[in-house]
């Protein structure tokens, strides 16, 4: 019907609906897919005075303030750490994931509520460039992260060292040694079975399983997280405490407690380890800033941890040994704000810096309930072709180091990874409650 034939009341309703829905969103094209996975087709970003080999420190940080996130700027300005700039490089993702994105282009649609999605099969659900004028752009970015390929269909950190450090004295208070395992039950694109692990009667999307190897008092402590395909359904999480020899189910709120005394909570794992429906998502714009991306084998690595195959871990330095000794790349980044919908949540918001090519969260600023900066979180990424032989050619950026710095308590937890994209390390049986020792 012509708009001129609408009654005035219906015109008002139509205008009101248009205002609520926001601007029309164009369907994504194959050109959008190409731009999403290769944002550097027309060249890498640059910043005046910045070149590979540059060391940014307290003396010159003001010159490069606009190329550094607020938390990292604070750390450099305070003299806690320095940043060495490396060349920006392509982190080309696996062709299986890119092909799945093309095959399912425009099939994914947001539901009425945050946390609802329909039509998604595999790949990057919303590859189009996010627009600040789109009121649900932040939510789409969150879905792209959730259905991204952090660790691919399945991988393990085998082993994984956490160190608890006093940032003032530099004392290493405690060292934990873990094995971590990750498995996508659904939306698999590369490793058999594709597209889904069956049977899957509970309709799980993803599982995370970890076990503590050291120290002795925590040995055999295990955590299992089962995330459902239905984002509106709460995760199931189970903890087996070796010294108690029993499994207990974690209450929802316990995922925001400090995990085993660290500066990190379960909800922080991988940058964000919660449901889409747990947060209000706001896209804050696109920036070119320094991100912790590098070639592992080209770094000066640590000598204090020995692996039988000669593998060496990322080293740490700076104030209290809280900062990874890595190089940083100037990369295209989406800035995303996540505000908990639960008013009792221990934080007021996270500011997430998401790499536009890889779609992983690599720098996070965490604010306390008063709105003051509480923690900064770095997850360093190695190119898979400059890491372990098993990772070469996988097209999966390898989580390689982490640092959570409590800027208020002057304390930190650091992580050193031996990440392996190896399906054999992640049988589906690992991700069942029955696998936990002492399961009841």
């Amino acid at each position: 019907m012509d708009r001129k034939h609408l009654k005035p009341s219906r015109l008002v309703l139509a205008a009101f609906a248009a205002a609520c829905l926001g601007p029309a969103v164009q369907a994504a094209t194959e050109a959008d897919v190409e731009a999403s996975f290769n944002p550097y087709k027309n060249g890498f970003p640059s910043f005046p005075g910045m070149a590979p080999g540059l060391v940014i420190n307290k003396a010159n940080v003001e010159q490069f303030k606009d190329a550094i996130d607020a938390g990292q700027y604070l750390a450099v300005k305070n003299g806690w750490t320095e940043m060495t700039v490396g060349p920006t490089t392509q982190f080309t993702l696996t062709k299986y994931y890119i092909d799945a994105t093309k095959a399912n282009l425009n099939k994914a649609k947001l539901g009425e509520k945050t946390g609802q999605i329909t039509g998604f099969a595999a790949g990057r659900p919303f590859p189009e460039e996010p627009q600040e004028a789109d009121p649900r752009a932040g939510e789409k970015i969150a879905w792209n992260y959730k259905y991204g390929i952090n660790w691919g269909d399945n991988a393990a950190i085998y082993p994984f060292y956490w160190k608890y450090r006093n940032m003032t004295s530099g004392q290493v208070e405690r060292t934990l040694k873990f094995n971590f395992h990750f498995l996508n039950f659904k939306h698999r694109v590369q490793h058999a079975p594709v597209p889904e692990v069956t049977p899957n009667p509970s309709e799980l999307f993803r599982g995370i399983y970890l076990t503590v190897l050291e120290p002795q008092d925590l040995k055999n402590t295990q955590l299992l997280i089962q995330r459902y395909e239905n984002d509106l359904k709460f995760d199931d999480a189970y903890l087996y405490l070796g010294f108690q020899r029993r499994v207990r189910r974690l209450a929802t709120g316990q995922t925001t407690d400090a995990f085993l005394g660290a500066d990190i909570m379960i909800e922080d794992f991988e940058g964000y380890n919660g449901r889409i429906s747990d947060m209000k998502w706001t896209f804050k714009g696109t920036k070119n800033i320094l991100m912790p991306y590098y070639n592992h084998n080209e770094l000066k690595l640590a000598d204090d941890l020995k692996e039988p195959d000669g593998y060496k871990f990322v080293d740490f330095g700076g104030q209290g040994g809280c900062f990874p000794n890595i190089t940083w790349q100037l990369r295209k980044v989406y800035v995303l704000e996540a505000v908990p919908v639960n008013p009792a949540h221990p934080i007021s918001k996270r500011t997430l810096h998401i790499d536009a090519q890889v779609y992983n969260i690599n720098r996070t600023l965490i604010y306390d309930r008063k709105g003051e900066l509480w923690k900064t979180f770095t997850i360093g990424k190695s190119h898979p072709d400059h890491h372990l032989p098993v990772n070469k050619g996988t097209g999966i950026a390898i989580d390689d180091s982490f640092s959570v710095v409590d800027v208020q308590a002057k304390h930190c937890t650091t992580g050193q990874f031996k990440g392996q994209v190896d399906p054999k390390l992640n049988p589906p049986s690992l991700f069942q409650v029955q696998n936990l020792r002492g399961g009841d």
Side-chain angles (χ1 to χ4, degrees):
M1 182 182 294
D2 254 349
R3 290 179 64 88
K4 65 183 180 181
H5 296 304
L6 288 172
K7 294 181 180 179
S9 59
R10 293 182 66 186
L11 281 171
V12 171
L13 287 173
F16 177 75
C20 290
L21 291 172
V25 178
Q26 299 296 318
T29 65
E30 291 226 359
D32 291 320
V33 175
E34 182 178 2
S36 184
F37 288 105
N38 186 9
Y40 309 119
K41 180 180 180 181
N42 297 320
F44 294 116
S46 62
F47 191 89
M50 185 179 290
L54 171 73
V55 176
I56 302 175
N57 55 30
K58 187 177 181 179
N60 64 359
V61 68
E62 294 300 329
Q63 179 183 350
F64 303 103
K65 182 177 181 180
D66 291 340
I68 307 172
D69 70 77
Q72 190 67 11
Y73 166 76
L74 176 69
V76 176
K77 183 180 180 181
N78 287 342
W80 299 342
T81 189
E82 298 180 347
M83 303 173 71
T84 300
V85 177
T88 302
T89 60
Q90 292 280 10
F91 274 66
T92 304
L93 300 189
T94 171
K95 70 176 293 293
Y96 297 96
Y97 186 75
I98 297 173
D99 289 348
T101 302
K102 292 177 180 177
N104 295 289
L105 193 60
N106 296 311
K107 291 181 181 178
K109 307 293 182 185
L110 295 178
E112 182 181 348
K113 297 179 181 178
T114 300
Q116 291 180 326
I117 191 171
T118 60
F120 175 71
R124 187 169 288 172
F126 303 104
E128 62 272 17
E129 188 69 17
Q131 303 294 327
E132 289 186 69
D134 177 2
R136 303 190 77 177
E139 194 180 339
K140 293 173 184 175
I141 293 171
W143 281 110
N144 284 351
Y145 163 73
K146 175 174 178 174
Y147 287 139
I149 56 166
N150 199 28
W151 293 117
D153 293 335
N154 28 239
I157 312 170
Y158 203 82
F160 191 6
Y161 287 93
W162 289 17
K163 295 182 180 180
Y164 303 177
R165 304 174 187 257
N166 183 310
M167 190 173 166
T168 302
S169 69
Q171 177 188 2
V172 177
E173 302 163 340
R174 195 161 173 76
T175 300
L176 275 61
K177 182 180 181 181
F178 297 88
N179 284 341
F180 268 58
H181 301 263
F182 307 88
L183 178 74
N184 286 355
F185 285 86
K186 286 179 173 285
H187 314 300
R188 299 170 61 84
V189 297
Q190 186 167 2
H191 296 125
V194 174
E196 181 178 1
V197 173
T198 56
N200 184 14
S202 298
E203 291 291 305
L204 297 177
F205 158 58
R206 195 164 191 253
I208 299 175
Y209 167 74
L210 67 86
T211 183
V212 180
L213 307 175
E214 299 174 2
Q216 188 62 37
D217 63 319
L218 290 176
K219 188 174 181 178
N220 294 334
T221 295
Q222 297 160 75
L223 175 69
L224 173 64
I225 301 170
Q226 296 176 327
R227 174 150 302 133
Y228 290 93
E229 175 69 1
N230 179 1
D231 187 84
L232 300 181
K233 189 174 181 179
F234 285 108
D235 297 347
D236 282 335
Y238 303 88
L239 186 67
Y240 173 79
L241 298 172
F243 60 88
Q244 291 184 352
R245 301 185 63 82
R246 63 182 291 266
V247 174
R248 63 185 178 91
R249 189 167 179 169
L250 293 184
T252 303
Q254 290 179 281
T255 60
T256 55
D257 293 339
F259 181 63
L260 299 181
D263 296 286
I264 189 171
M265 49 183 152
I266 293 171
E267 193 182 79
D268 291 325
F269 288 3
E270 300 181 88
Y272 177 68
N273 182 44
R275 303 178 304 161
I276 305 296
S277 51
D278 287 332
M279 299 286 154
K280 180 179 184 295
W281 305 93
T282 305
F283 174 48
K284 292 294 189 178
T286 304
K287 293 183 175 181
N288 292 327
I289 61 173
L290 290 170
M291 292 284 270
Y293 281 61
Y294 50 83
N295 293 339
H296 176 101
N297 293 339
E298 296 175 4
L299 300 176
K300 187 177 185 303
L301 300 166
D303 290 318
D304 61 327
L305 300 171
K306 305 296 183 182
E307 283 292 291
D309 62 357
Y311 177 83
K312 290 188 175 184
F313 296 83
V314 167
D315 202 5
F316 280 76
Q319 182 70 38
C322 288
F323 300 87
N325 292 334
I326 59 174
T327 54
W328 297 71
Q329 297 188 6
L330 188 67
R331 299 182 64 83
K332 180 181 177 181
V333 169
Y334 299 132
V335 183
L336 186 61
E337 182 181 272
V339 175
V341 297
N342 180 358
H345 198 286
I347 71 169
S348 62
K349 68 176 181 179
R350 290 182 178 89
T351 300
L352 309 171
H353 298 84
I354 299 179
D355 186 84
Q357 183 172 39
V358 177
Y359 251 103
N360 291 162
I361 299 170
N362 300 106
R363 282 285 302 159
T364 304
L365 311 183
I366 301 171
Y367 294 83
D368 66 18
R369 294 181 68 171
K370 295 183 292 184
E372 297 176 355
L373 183 63
W374 180 14
K375 299 175 185 178
T376 70
F377 189 3
T378 303
I379 300 179
K381 286 277 188 182
S382 173
H383 197 288
D385 296 350
H386 301 273
H387 201 264
L388 287 165
V390 71
N391 298 324
K392 188 172 182 178
T394 60
I396 295 170
I398 305 298
D399 280 7
D400 199 49
S401 59
F402 87 70
S403 169
V404 179
V405 178
D406 185 329
V407 301
Q408 297 182 8
K410 300 298 187 292
H411 194 272
C412 69
T413 300
T414 61
Q416 293 158 288
F417 298 67
K418 186 181 179 184
Q420 303 178 57
V421 181
D422 185 352
K424 295 190 299 293
L425 295 176
N426 303 280
S429 59
L430 273 185
F431 303 88
Q432 304 301 326
V433 179
Q434 293 81 358
N435 174 66
L436 300 178
R437 293 181 182 89
D440 51 18

